Amino acid sequence: MACFIVPGTEAIVATAVLVAVKHHEAKLAAPSLGGKTAQVEKKTPFSKKLGWLCSLLWGGVALLAFEHIWHGEVVPFPPFLTAAADPVSKAEMLHEMGTSGVAMAVLVTLIWAGMAVISSVLESKTARHTAAEEGV
Amino acid sequence: MTLLITVFAACISTAVWYKTSGRSEMKPGILALMYWGASIMWFVDAVVEYAELKSEYFTPAPADMLNDSFLGFSVVALGLIIWLVIVMIKDPKGVIRKKN
């Protein structure tokens, strides 16, 4: 009905955070063009990882929105969501947003968090391996 | 069917991303993430539907299956179009910028 609105809202928030994080990282990287950047470049920046979440969310929302248009649940005129036209359907729609929509947003975020953690662990392992090899 | 077709598209685009060592200028990673995002969301939908219909979920009417397949292929096409637009805007090889 309108479950994609919940991950859509998360996508907007995640994109806003991504812009702020990119700005922050650019500020941090600018003065230290010396020795520290070489170390920073080896690790995937948090902005890139956040970009993965944005791609997951925006991609999913765009394709789900298309599915809703396909099924006639989203229309190009007010109230835009056909379920919002009468109170019974509206209640059903809100219930679906609260269950399916929230579950979608949570699952996507959990999978992204898993990807970010695995990426960090692999990078740390590689860094330790390289450091050990250089030490020998 | 829509979920199944999207999962196949996600697997193929992930394989392409891996084959290009994740460093391709064509950004197949964005396409893969888009399809995975949609697949995860439709998976949740499928679980909710399964909870309601139980085993009936796996025996859809032929007309529904055909409609869902048509939707699945349309979704894959839309994903490709979005990805192409992103690549054209970012223009990593500078092809469009060179022509202007």
Side-chain angles (χ1 to χ4, degrees):
Chain A
M1 280 181 170
C3 47
F4 70 97
I5 289 176
V6 180
T9 310
E10 190 191 345
I12 293 167
V13 175
T15 307
V17 174
L18 174 66
V19 171
V21 169
K22 267 189 180 173
H23 186 72
H24 182 70
E25 281 177 354
K27 254 187 183 177
L28 281 179
S32 59
L33 285 169
K36 263 197 170 179
T37 40
Q39 199 184 356
V40 172
E41 272 171 13
K42 276 183 186 175
K43 274 196 161 188
T44 307
F46 184 65
S47 61
K48 194 173 179 187
K49 289 177 183 170
L50 208 55
W52 301 342
L53 178 65
C54 289
S55 295
L56 280 169
L57 287 168
W58 281 120
V61 167
L63 300 183
L64 252 78
F66 177 72
E67 186 227 333
H68 284 73
I69 294 168
W70 183 282
H71 288 133
E73 291 164 351
V74 175
V75 284
F77 44 82
F80 303 108
L81 302 164
T82 44
D86 71 285
V88 180
S89 304
K90 201 173 178 178
E92 214 176 298
M93 178 187 81
L94 291 172
H95 179 259
E96 200 198 73
M97 281 168 73
T99 51
S100 295
V102 170
M104 283 173 183
V106 169
L107 190 61
V108 169
T109 311
L110 283 176
I111 288 172
W112 165 75
M115 283 164 65
V117 168
I118 289 169
S119 160
S120 296
V121 169
L122 288 176
E123 279 171 354
S124 306
K125 267 189 180 177
T126 312
R128 250 183 281 145
H129 187 73
T130 313
E133 271 185 355
E134 280 172 359
V136 171
Chain B
M1 263 322 250
T2 313
L3 169 65
L4 202 60
I5 292 168
T6 316
V7 168
F8 275 120
C11 290
I12 292 167
S13 48
T14 306
V16 171
W17 168 80
Y18 187 77
K19 180 99 173 43
T20 54
S21 318
R23 299 197 195 289
S24 170
E25 289 167 328
M26 291 297 284
K27 302 191 177 298
I30 291 179
L31 186 65
L33 286 172
M34 265 173 27
Y35 286 142
W36 279 121
S39 300
I40 295 163
M41 291 180 195
W42 270 314
F43 173 72
V44 172
D45 248 358
V47 169
V48 171
E49 218 175 313
Y50 177 76
E52 282 172 17
L53 302 172
K54 306 286 178 213
S55 62
E56 257 180 66
Y57 174 78
F58 298 107
T59 50
D64 290 342
M65 238 172 106
L66 186 68
N67 185 265
D68 275 356
S69 308
F70 191 22
L71 173 63
F73 286 117
S74 305
V75 159
V76 172
L78 180 68
L80 286 168
I81 291 168
I82 294 171
W83 168 69
L84 271 179
V85 169
I86 293 169
V87 171
M88 291 297 139
I89 290 171
K90 293 202 171 175
D91 193 18
K93 293 196 171 213
V95 176
I96 295 166
R97 260 174 275 153
K98 253 185 238 170
K99 284 193 174 176
N100 292 326

Coordinates of all heavy atoms in Angstrom, one line a residue, chain B residues 7-98:
Chain B
V7 N 16.1 -10.9 -7.5 CA 17.3 -11.6 -6.8 C 18.3 -12.1 -7.9 O 19.5 -11.9 -7.7 CB 16.8 -12.8 -5.9 CG1 18.0 -13.6 -5.5 CG2 16.1 -12.2 -4.7
F8 N 17.7 -12.6 -9.0 CA 18.6 -13.0 -10.1 C 19.4 -11.8 -10.6 O 20.6 -11.9 -10.9 CB 17.8 -13.7 -11.2 CG 17.6 -15.2 -11.0 CD1 16.3 -15.7 -10.9 CD2 18.7 -16.0 -10.9 CE1 16.1 -17.0 -10.7 CE2 18.4 -17.4 -10.6 CZ 17.2 -17.9 -10.5
A9 N 18.7 -10.7 -10.8 CA 19.4 -9.5 -11.3 C 20.4 -9.0 -10.4 O 21.5 -8.6 -10.8 CB 18.3 -8.4 -11.6
A10 N 20.1 -9.1 -9.1 CA 21.1 -8.7 -8.0 C 22.3 -9.6 -8.0 O 23.5 -9.1 -8.0 CB 20.4 -8.7 -6.6
C11 N 22.1 -10.9 -8.2 CA 23.2 -11.9 -8.2 C 24.1 -11.6 -9.4 O 25.3 -11.6 -9.3 CB 22.7 -13.3 -8.2 SG 22.0 -13.8 -6.7
I12 N 23.5 -11.4 -10.6 CA 24.2 -11.2 -11.8 C 25.1 -9.9 -11.7 O 26.3 -9.9 -12.0 CB 23.3 -11.2 -13.1 CG1 22.7 -12.6 -13.3 CG2 24.1 -10.7 -14.3 CD1 21.6 -12.7 -14.3
S13 N 24.4 -8.8 -11.3 CA 25.1 -7.5 -11.2 C 26.3 -7.6 -10.1 O 27.3 -7.0 -10.3 CB 24.2 -6.4 -10.9 OG 23.3 -6.7 -9.8
T14 N 26.0 -8.4 -9.0 CA 27.1 -8.6 -8.0 C 28.3 -9.3 -8.6 O 29.4 -9.0 -8.4 CB 26.6 -9.3 -6.8 OG1 25.4 -8.6 -6.3 CG2 27.6 -9.4 -5.7
A15 N 28.0 -10.4 -9.4 CA 29.0 -11.2 -10.1 C 29.8 -10.3 -11.0 O 31.1 -10.3 -11.1 CB 28.4 -12.3 -10.8
V16 N 29.1 -9.4 -11.8 CA 29.8 -8.4 -12.7 C 30.7 -7.5 -11.9 O 31.9 -7.2 -12.2 CB 28.8 -7.6 -13.5 CG1 29.5 -6.5 -14.3 CG2 28.1 -8.6 -14.5
W17 N 30.2 -7.0 -10.8 CA 31.0 -6.1 -9.9 C 32.2 -6.8 -9.4 O 33.3 -6.3 -9.4 CB 30.1 -5.7 -8.7 CG 30.9 -5.0 -7.6 CD1 31.3 -3.7 -7.6 CD2 31.4 -5.6 -6.4 NE1 32.0 -3.5 -6.4 CE2 32.1 -4.6 -5.7 CE3 31.3 -6.9 -5.8 CZ2 32.7 -4.9 -4.4 CZ3 31.9 -7.2 -4.6 CH2 32.6 -6.1 -3.9
Y18 N 32.1 -8.1 -9.0 CA 33.2 -8.9 -8.5 C 34.2 -9.1 -9.6 O 35.4 -9.0 -9.4 CB 32.7 -10.2 -7.9 CG 33.8 -10.9 -7.2 CD1 34.2 -10.6 -5.9 CD2 34.5 -12.0 -7.8 CE1 35.3 -11.2 -5.2 CE2 35.5 -12.7 -7.1 CZ 35.9 -12.3 -5.8 OH 36.9 -12.9 -5.2
K19 N 33.7 -9.4 -10.8 CA 34.6 -9.7 -11.9 C 35.5 -8.5 -12.3 O 36.6 -8.7 -12.7 CB 33.7 -10.1 -13.1 CG 34.4 -10.5 -14.4 CD 34.5 -12.0 -14.5 CE 35.1 -12.5 -15.8 NZ 36.2 -11.9 -16.4
T20 N 34.9 -7.3 -12.1 CA 35.6 -6.1 -12.4 C 36.4 -5.6 -11.2 O 36.8 -4.5 -11.2 CB 34.7 -5.0 -12.9 OG1 33.7 -4.8 -12.0 CG2 34.1 -5.3 -14.3
S21 N 36.6 -6.5 -10.2 CA 37.3 -6.2 -9.0 C 36.8 -5.0 -8.2 O 37.5 -4.4 -7.5 CB 38.8 -6.0 -9.3 OG 39.3 -6.9 -10.2
G22 N 35.6 -4.7 -8.4 CA 35.0 -3.6 -7.7 C 35.5 -2.2 -8.1 O 35.3 -1.2 -7.4
R23 N 36.3 -2.2 -9.1 CA 37.0 -0.9 -9.5 C 36.5 -0.4 -10.9 O 37.2 0.5 -11.5 CB 38.5 -1.1 -9.5 CG 39.0 -1.4 -8.1 CD 40.5 -1.2 -8.0 NE 41.0 -1.9 -6.9 CZ 40.8 -1.5 -5.6 NH1 40.1 -0.5 -5.3 NH2 41.3 -2.2 -4.6
S24 N 35.4 -1.0 -11.4 CA 35.0 -0.6 -12.8 C 34.5 0.9 -12.7 O 33.8 1.3 -11.8 CB 33.9 -1.5 -13.3 OG 33.3 -1.0 -14.4
E25 N 34.8 1.6 -13.8 CA 34.3 3.0 -13.9 C 32.8 3.0 -14.2 O 32.1 4.0 -14.0 CB 35.0 3.7 -15.1 CG 36.5 3.9 -14.8 CD 37.2 4.3 -16.0 OE1 36.9 3.9 -17.1 OE2 38.2 5.1 -15.9
M26 N 32.2 1.9 -14.7 CA 30.8 1.8 -15.0 C 29.9 1.6 -13.7 O 28.7 1.6 -13.8 CB 30.5 0.6 -15.9 CG 31.1 0.8 -17.3 SD 30.4 2.3 -18.1 CE 28.8 1.6 -18.6
K27 N 30.6 1.5 -12.6 CA 29.9 1.5 -11.3 C 28.8 0.4 -11.2 O 27.6 0.7 -10.9 CB 29.3 2.8 -10.9 CG 30.3 3.9 -10.9 CD 29.8 5.2 -10.3 CE 30.8 6.2 -10.1 NZ 32.0 5.9 -9.3
P28 N 29.1 -0.9 -11.5 CA 28.1 -2.0 -11.4 C 27.7 -2.2 -9.9 O 26.6 -2.8 -9.7 CB 28.8 -3.2 -11.9 CG 30.3 -2.9 -11.8 CD 30.4 -1.4 -11.9
G29 N 28.5 -1.7 -9.0 CA 28.2 -1.9 -7.6 C 26.9 -1.1 -7.2 O 26.1 -1.6 -6.4
I30 N 26.7 0.0 -7.8 CA 25.5 0.8 -7.5 C 24.2 0.0 -8.0 O 23.2 -0.1 -7.3 CB 25.5 2.2 -8.2 CG1 26.6 3.1 -7.6 CG2 24.1 2.9 -8.2 CD1 26.7 4.4 -8.2
L31 N 24.4 -0.6 -9.2 CA 23.3 -1.4 -9.7 C 23.0 -2.6 -8.8 O 21.8 -2.9 -8.5 CB 23.7 -1.9 -11.1 CG 22.6 -2.6 -11.9 CD1 21.4 -1.7 -12.3 CD2 23.2 -3.2 -13.2
A32 N 24.1 -3.3 -8.4 CA 23.9 -4.4 -7.5 C 23.2 -4.0 -6.2 O 22.3 -4.7 -5.7 CB 25.3 -5.0 -7.2
L33 N 23.7 -2.9 -5.6 CA 23.1 -2.4 -4.3 C 21.6 -2.1 -4.5 O 20.8 -2.4 -3.6 CB 23.8 -1.2 -3.7 CG 25.2 -1.6 -3.1 CD1 25.9 -0.3 -2.8 CD2 25.0 -2.4 -1.9
M34 N 21.3 -1.5 -5.7 CA 19.9 -1.1 -5.9 C 19.0 -2.4 -6.0 O 17.9 -2.4 -5.3 CB 19.8 -0.4 -7.3 CG 19.8 1.1 -7.1 SD 19.9 2.0 -8.7 CE 19.2 1.0 -9.9
Y35 N 19.4 -3.4 -6.7 CA 18.7 -4.6 -6.8 C 18.6 -5.3 -5.5 O 17.6 -5.9 -5.1 CB 19.2 -5.5 -7.9 CG 19.0 -5.1 -9.3 CD1 20.0 -5.3 -10.3 CD2 17.8 -4.5 -9.7 CE1 19.7 -4.9 -11.6 CE2 17.5 -4.1 -11.0 CZ 18.5 -4.3 -11.9 OH 18.3 -3.9 -13.2
W36 N 19.7 -5.3 -4.7 CA 19.7 -6.0 -3.4 C 18.7 -5.3 -2.4 O 18.0 -5.9 -1.7 CB 21.1 -6.1 -2.8 CG 21.9 -7.2 -3.3 CD1 23.1 -7.1 -3.9 CD2 21.6 -8.6 -3.3 NE1 23.5 -8.3 -4.3 CE2 22.6 -9.3 -4.0 CE3 20.5 -9.3 -2.8 CZ2 22.6 -10.7 -4.1 CZ3 20.5 -10.7 -3.0 CH2 21.6 -11.4 -3.6
G37 N 18.7 -3.9 -2.5 CA 17.8 -3.2 -1.6 C 16.4 -3.6 -1.9 O 15.6 -3.8 -1.0
A38 N 16.0 -3.6 -3.2 CA 14.6 -4.0 -3.6 C 14.3 -5.4 -3.2 O 13.2 -5.7 -2.7 CB 14.4 -3.8 -5.1
S39 N 15.3 -6.3 -3.4 CA 15.1 -7.7 -3.1 C 14.9 -7.9 -1.6 O 14.0 -8.7 -1.2 CB 16.4 -8.5 -3.4 OG 16.6 -8.5 -4.8
I40 N 15.6 -7.2 -0.7 CA 15.4 -7.3 0.7 C 14.0 -6.8 1.1 O 13.3 -7.4 1.9 CB 16.4 -6.4 1.5 CG1 17.8 -7.0 1.3 CG2 16.1 -6.4 3.0 CD1 19.0 -6.0 1.7
M41 N 13.6 -5.7 0.5 CA 12.2 -5.1 0.8 C 11.1 -6.1 0.3 O 10.1 -6.3 1.0 CB 12.1 -3.8 0.1 CG 13.0 -2.7 0.8 SD 12.8 -1.1 0.1 CE 14.2 -0.3 0.8
W42 N 11.3 -6.7 -0.9 CA 10.3 -7.6 -1.4 C 10.3 -8.9 -0.6 O 9.3 -9.6 -0.5 CB 10.5 -7.9 -2.9 CG 9.7 -6.9 -3.7 CD1 8.4 -6.6 -3.5 CD2 10.1 -6.2 -4.8 NE1 8.0 -5.6 -4.4 CE2 9.1 -5.4 -5.3 CE3 11.3 -6.1 -5.5 CZ2 9.1 -4.6 -6.4 CZ3 11.4 -5.3 -6.6 CH2 10.3 -4.5 -7.0
F43 N 11.5 -9.2 0.0 CA 11.6 -10.4 0.8 C 10.7 -10.3 2.1 O 10.0 -11.2 2.5 CB 13.0 -10.7 1.2 CG 13.2 -11.8 2.2 CD1 13.0 -13.1 1.8 CD2 13.5 -11.5 3.5 CE1 13.2 -14.1 2.8 CE2 13.6 -12.5 4.5 CZ 13.5 -13.9 4.1
V44 N 10.7 -9.1 2.6 CA 9.9 -8.8 3.8 C 8.4 -8.9 3.4 O 7.6 -9.5 4.1 CB 10.2 -7.4 4.4 CG1 9.2 -7.0 5.5 CG2 11.6 -7.3 4.9
D45 N 8.1 -8.3 2.2 CA 6.7 -8.5 1.7 C 6.3 -9.9 1.6 O 5.2 -10.3 1.9 CB 6.6 -7.8 0.3 CG 5.8 -6.5 0.4 OD1 5.2 -6.2 1.4 OD2 5.7 -5.8 -0.7
A46 N 7.2 -10.7 1.1 CA 7.0 -12.2 0.8 C 6.7 -12.9 2.2 O 5.9 -13.7 2.2 CB 8.1 -12.8 0.1
V47 N 7.5 -12.5 3.2 CA 7.4 -13.2 4.5 C 6.0 -12.8 5.1 O 5.3 -13.7 5.6 CB 8.5 -12.7 5.5 CG1 8.2 -13.2 6.9 CG2 9.9 -13.3 5.0
V48 N 5.6 -11.6 4.9 CA 4.3 -11.1 5.5 C 3.2 -11.9 4.7 O 2.2 -12.4 5.3 CB 4.1 -9.6 5.3 CG1 2.7 -9.2 5.7 CG2 5.1 -8.9 6.2
E49 N 3.3 -12.0 3.4 CA 2.3 -12.7 2.6 C 2.3 -14.2 2.9 O 1.2 -14.8 3.0 CB 2.6 -12.5 1.1 CG 1.4 -12.3 0.2 CD 1.8 -12.0 -1.2 OE1 2.6 -11.1 -1.5 OE2 1.2 -12.7 -2.1
Y50 N 3.4 -14.8 3.1 CA 3.5 -16.2 3.5 C 2.8 -16.4 4.8 O 2.1 -17.4 5.0 CB 5.0 -16.7 3.6 CG 5.1 -18.1 4.0 CD1 4.8 -19.1 3.1 CD2 5.5 -18.4 5.3 CE1 4.9 -20.5 3.5 CE2 5.6 -19.7 5.7 CZ 5.3 -20.7 4.8 OH 5.4 -22.0 5.3
A51 N 3.0 -15.5 5.8 CA 2.4 -15.6 7.1 C 0.8 -15.6 7.0 O 0.1 -16.3 7.8 CB 2.8 -14.5 8.0
E52 N 0.3 -14.9 6.0 CA -1.1 -14.9 5.8 C -1.6 -16.1 5.0 O -2.6 -16.7 5.3 CB -1.5 -13.6 5.0 CG -1.5 -12.3 5.8 CD -1.7 -11.1 5.0 OE1 -2.1 -11.2 3.8 OE2 -1.3 -10.0 5.5
L53 N -0.9 -16.4 3.9 CA -1.4 -17.4 3.0 C -0.9 -18.9 3.2 O -1.5 -19.8 2.7 CB -1.1 -17.1 1.5 CG -1.6 -15.7 1.0 CD1 -1.0 -15.4 -0.4 CD2 -3.1 -15.7 0.9
K54 N 0.2 -19.0 4.0 CA 0.8 -20.3 4.3 C 1.2 -20.9 2.9 O 1.8 -20.2 2.1 CB 0.0 -21.2 5.1 CG -0.5 -20.6 6.4 CD 0.6 -20.5 7.4 CE 0.1 -19.8 8.7 NZ 1.0 -19.1 9.4
S55 N 1.0 -22.2 2.8 CA 1.5 -22.9 1.6 C 0.9 -22.4 0.3 O 1.4 -22.6 -0.8 CB 1.2 -24.4 1.7 OG -0.1 -24.7 1.8
E56 N -0.3 -21.8 0.4 CA -0.9 -21.2 -0.9 C 0.0 -20.2 -1.6 O -0.2 -20.0 -2.8 CB -2.3 -20.5 -0.5 CG -3.5 -21.3 -0.7 CD -4.7 -20.6 -0.3 OE1 -5.1 -19.5 -0.9 OE2 -5.4 -21.0 0.6
Y57 N 0.9 -19.6 -0.8 CA 1.8 -18.6 -1.3 C 2.6 -19.2 -2.5 O 2.9 -18.5 -3.4 CB 2.7 -18.1 -0.2 CG 3.8 -17.2 -0.7 CD1 3.5 -15.8 -1.0 CD2 5.1 -17.6 -0.9 CE1 4.4 -15.0 -1.5 CE2 6.1 -16.7 -1.4 CZ 5.7 -15.4 -1.7 OH 6.7 -14.6 -2.1
F58 N 2.9 -20.5 -2.4 CA 3.8 -21.1 -3.4 C 3.0 -21.6 -4.6 O 3.6 -22.2 -5.6 CB 4.6 -22.2 -2.8 CG 5.5 -21.7 -1.7 CD1 5.3 -22.0 -0.4 CD2 6.6 -21.0 -2.1 CE1 6.1 -21.5 0.6 CE2 7.5 -20.5 -1.1 CZ 7.2 -20.7 0.2
T59 N 1.7 -21.5 -4.6 CA 0.9 -21.9 -5.8 C 0.0 -20.8 -6.3 O -1.2 -20.8 -6.2 CB 0.0 -23.1 -5.4 OG1 -0.7 -22.8 -4.2 CG2 0.8 -24.4 -5.2
P60 N 0.6 -19.8 -6.8 CA -0.1 -18.6 -7.3 C -0.9 -19.0 -8.6 O -0.5 -19.9 -9.3 CB 0.9 -17.6 -7.6 CG 2.2 -18.4 -7.9 CD 2.1 -19.6 -7.1
A61 N -1.9 -18.2 -8.9 CA -2.7 -18.4 -10.1 C -1.8 -18.0 -11.3 O -1.0 -17.1 -11.2 CB -4.0 -17.5 -10.1
P62 N -2.0 -18.8 -12.4 CA -1.1 -18.5 -13.6 C -1.2 -17.0 -14.1 O -0.2 -16.4 -14.4 CB -1.7 -19.4 -14.7 CG -2.3 -20.5 -14.0 CD -2.8 -19.9 -12.7
A63 N -2.4 -16.4 -14.0 CA -2.5 -15.0 -14.4 C -1.7 -14.1 -13.5 O -1.0 -13.1 -14.0 CB -4.0 -14.6 -14.4
D64 N -1.7 -14.4 -12.2 CA -0.9 -13.6 -11.2 C 0.6 -13.7 -11.5 O 1.4 -12.8 -11.4 CB -1.2 -14.0 -9.8 CG -2.6 -13.6 -9.3 OD1 -3.2 -12.7 -10.0 OD2 -3.1 -14.2 -8.4
M65 N 1.0 -15.0 -11.8 CA 2.4 -15.3 -12.0 C 2.9 -14.5 -13.2 O 4.0 -14.0 -13.2 CB 2.6 -16.8 -12.2 CG 3.5 -17.4 -11.3 SD 3.5 -19.1 -11.4 CE 5.0 -19.4 -12.3
L66 N 2.0 -14.5 -14.3 CA 2.4 -13.8 -15.5 C 2.5 -12.3 -15.2 O 3.5 -11.7 -15.7 CB 1.3 -14.1 -16.6 CG 1.6 -13.5 -18.0 CD1 2.8 -14.3 -18.6 CD2 0.4 -13.6 -18.9
N67 N 1.6 -11.8 -14.5 CA 1.6 -10.3 -14.2 C 2.9 -10.0 -13.3 O 3.5 -9.0 -13.6 CB 0.3 -9.9 -13.4 CG 0.3 -8.5 -13.2 OD1 0.7 -8.0 -12.1 ND2 -0.2 -7.7 -14.1
D68 N 3.2 -10.9 -12.4 CA 4.3 -10.6 -11.5 C 5.6 -10.8 -12.3 O 6.6 -10.0 -12.0 CB 4.3 -11.7 -10.3 CG 3.5 -11.2 -9.2 OD1 3.0 -10.1 -9.2 OD2 3.3 -12.0 -8.2
S69 N 5.7 -11.7 -13.2 CA 6.9 -11.8 -14.1 C 7.1 -10.6 -14.9 O 8.2 -10.1 -15.0 CB 6.8 -13.0 -15.0 OG 6.4 -14.2 -14.3
F70 N 6.0 -10.1 -15.5 CA 6.0 -8.9 -16.3 C 6.5 -7.8 -15.5 O 7.4 -7.0 -15.9 CB 4.6 -8.7 -16.9 CG 4.5 -7.6 -17.9 CD1 5.6 -7.3 -18.7 CD2 3.3 -7.0 -18.2 CE1 5.5 -6.3 -19.7 CE2 3.1 -6.1 -19.2 CZ 4.2 -5.7 -19.9
L71 N 6.0 -7.7 -14.3 CA 6.4 -6.6 -13.3 C 7.9 -6.8 -13.0 O 8.7 -5.8 -13.0 CB 5.6 -6.7 -12.0 CG 6.0 -5.7 -10.9 CD1 5.9 -4.3 -11.3 CD2 5.2 -6.0 -9.7
G72 N 8.4 -8.0 -12.7 CA 9.8 -8.3 -12.4 C 10.7 -7.8 -13.5 O 11.7 -7.1 -13.2
F73 N 10.4 -8.1 -14.7 CA 11.3 -7.7 -15.9 C 11.2 -6.2 -16.0 O 12.2 -5.6 -16.4 CB 10.9 -8.5 -17.1 CG 11.3 -9.9 -17.2 CD1 10.4 -10.9 -17.2 CD2 12.6 -10.2 -17.1 CE1 10.7 -12.3 -17.2 CE2 13.0 -11.6 -17.0 CZ 12.1 -12.6 -17.1
S74 N 10.1 -5.6 -15.8 CA 10.0 -4.1 -15.9 C 10.8 -3.5 -14.8 O 11.4 -2.5 -15.1 CB 8.5 -3.7 -15.8 OG 7.7 -4.3 -16.7
V75 N 10.8 -4.1 -13.6 CA 11.6 -3.5 -12.5 C 13.1 -3.6 -12.9 O 13.9 -2.7 -12.6 CB 11.3 -4.3 -11.2 CG1 12.4 -4.2 -10.2 CG2 10.0 -3.9 -10.6
V76 N 13.5 -4.8 -13.4 CA 14.9 -4.9 -13.8 C 15.3 -3.8 -14.9 O 16.3 -3.2 -14.8 CB 15.2 -6.3 -14.4 CG1 16.6 -6.5 -15.0 CG2 15.0 -7.4 -13.3
A77 N 14.4 -3.6 -15.8 CA 14.6 -2.6 -16.9 C 14.7 -1.2 -16.2 O 15.6 -0.4 -16.6 CB 13.5 -2.7 -17.9
L78 N 13.8 -0.9 -15.3 CA 13.9 0.4 -14.6 C 15.2 0.6 -13.9 O 15.8 1.7 -13.9 CB 12.6 0.5 -13.7 CG 12.6 1.9 -12.9 CD1 12.3 3.0 -13.9 CD2 11.5 1.8 -11.9
G79 N 15.6 -0.5 -13.2 CA 16.9 -0.4 -12.5 C 18.0 -0.1 -13.4 O 18.9 0.7 -13.1
L80 N 18.0 -0.8 -14.6 CA 19.1 -0.5 -15.6 C 19.0 0.9 -16.1 O 20.1 1.5 -16.2 CB 18.9 -1.5 -16.7 CG 19.4 -3.0 -16.5 CD1 18.9 -3.9 -17.6 CD2 20.9 -3.1 -16.3
I81 N 17.8 1.4 -16.3 CA 17.7 2.8 -16.8 C 18.2 3.8 -15.7 O 19.0 4.7 -16.0 CB 16.2 3.1 -17.1 CG1 15.8 2.3 -18.4 CG2 16.0 4.6 -17.3 CD1 14.3 2.3 -18.7
I82 N 17.8 3.6 -14.4 CA 18.3 4.5 -13.3 C 19.8 4.4 -13.3 O 20.5 5.5 -13.2 CB 17.7 4.0 -12.0 CG1 16.2 4.3 -12.0 CG2 18.4 4.8 -10.8 CD1 15.5 3.7 -10.8
W83 N 20.4 3.2 -13.4 CA 21.9 3.0 -13.3 C 22.5 3.8 -14.5 O 23.5 4.4 -14.3 CB 22.2 1.5 -13.4 CG 23.6 1.2 -13.6 CD1 24.7 1.4 -12.7 CD2 24.2 0.6 -14.8 NE1 25.8 1.0 -13.3 CE2 25.6 0.4 -14.5 CE3 23.6 0.1 -15.9 CZ2 26.4 -0.1 -15.5 CZ3 24.5 -0.5 -16.9 CH2 25.9 -0.6 -16.6
L84 N 21.9 3.6 -15.7 CA 22.5 4.3 -16.9 C 22.5 5.8 -16.7 O 23.4 6.5 -17.1 CB 21.7 3.9 -18.2 CG 22.2 2.7 -18.9 CD1 21.3 2.4 -20.1 CD2 23.6 2.8 -19.4
V85 N 21.4 6.3 -16.2 CA 21.3 7.8 -15.9 C 22.4 8.2 -15.0 O 23.1 9.2 -15.2 CB 19.9 8.2 -15.4 CG1 19.8 9.6 -14.9 CG2 18.8 7.9 -16.5
I86 N 22.6 7.4 -13.9 CA 23.7 7.8 -12.9 C 25.0 7.8 -13.6 O 25.8 8.7 -13.4 CB 23.6 6.8 -11.7 CG1 22.4 7.0 -10.9 CG2 24.9 7.0 -10.8 CD1 22.1 5.9 -9.9
V87 N 25.3 6.8 -14.5 CA 26.6 6.7 -15.2 C 26.7 7.8 -16.1 O 27.8 8.5 -16.2 CB 26.7 5.3 -15.9 CG1 27.9 5.3 -16.8 CG2 26.8 4.2 -14.9
M88 N 25.6 8.2 -16.8 CA 25.7 9.3 -17.8 C 26.0 10.6 -17.1 O 26.7 11.5 -17.5 CB 24.4 9.4 -18.6 CG 24.2 8.3 -19.5 SD 25.4 8.2 -20.8 CE 25.7 6.5 -20.9
I89 N 25.3 10.8 -15.9 CA 25.5 12.1 -15.1 C 26.9 12.1 -14.6 O 27.6 13.2 -14.7 CB 24.5 12.2 -14.0 CG1 23.1 12.4 -14.6 CG2 24.8 13.3 -13.0 CD1 21.9 12.3 -13.6
K90 N 27.4 11.0 -14.0 CA 28.8 11.0 -13.4 C 29.8 11.0 -14.5 O 30.9 11.5 -14.3 CB 28.9 9.8 -12.5 CG 28.0 10.0 -11.3 CD 28.5 9.2 -10.1 CE 27.7 9.5 -8.9 NZ 28.0 8.7 -7.7
D91 N 29.5 10.4 -15.7 CA 30.4 10.4 -16.9 C 31.8 10.1 -16.5 O 32.7 10.9 -16.7 CB 30.2 11.7 -17.6 CG 30.9 11.7 -19.0 OD1 31.1 10.6 -19.5 OD2 31.1 12.8 -19.5
P92 N 32.1 8.9 -15.9 CA 33.4 8.6 -15.4 C 34.5 8.6 -16.5 O 35.7 8.9 -16.2 CB 33.3 7.2 -14.8 CG 32.1 6.6 -15.4 CD 31.2 7.8 -15.7
K93 N 34.2 8.3 -17.7 CA 35.2 8.3 -18.8 C 35.3 9.6 -19.5 O 36.0 9.8 -20.5 CB 34.9 7.2 -19.8 CG 35.0 5.8 -19.2 CD 35.1 4.7 -20.2 CE 35.5 3.4 -19.6 NZ 36.3 2.6 -20.5
G94 N 34.4 10.6 -19.1 CA 34.4 11.9 -19.7 C 34.0 12.0 -21.2 O 34.3 12.9 -21.9
V95 N 33.2 10.9 -21.6 CA 32.8 10.9 -23.0 C 31.8 12.0 -23.3 O 32.0 12.7 -24.4 CB 32.1 9.5 -23.3 CG1 31.5 9.4 -24.7 CG2 33.1 8.4 -23.0
I96 N 30.8 12.2 -22.5 CA 29.8 13.3 -22.8 C 30.5 14.7 -22.6 O 30.2 15.5 -23.5 CB 28.6 13.1 -21.8 CG1 27.9 11.8 -22.1 CG2 27.6 14.3 -22.0 CD1 27.0 11.4 -21.1
R97 N 31.3 14.8 -21.6 CA 32.0 16.1 -21.4 C 32.9 16.5 -22.6 O 33.0 17.6 -23.0 CB 32.8 16.1 -20.2 CG 32.1 16.8 -19.0 CD 32.8 16.7 -17.7 NE 32.4 15.4 -17.1 CZ 33.2 14.7 -16.3 NH1 34.4 15.1 -16.0 NH2 32.8 13.6 -15.8
K98 N 33.5 15.4 -23.2 CA 34.4 15.7 -24.4 C 33.7 16.2 -25.6 O 34.1 17.0 -26.3 CB 35.1 14.3 -24.7 CG 36.6 14.3 -24.3 CD 37.2 13.0 -24.8 CE 37.7 12.2 -23.7 NZ 38.1 10.8 -24.0

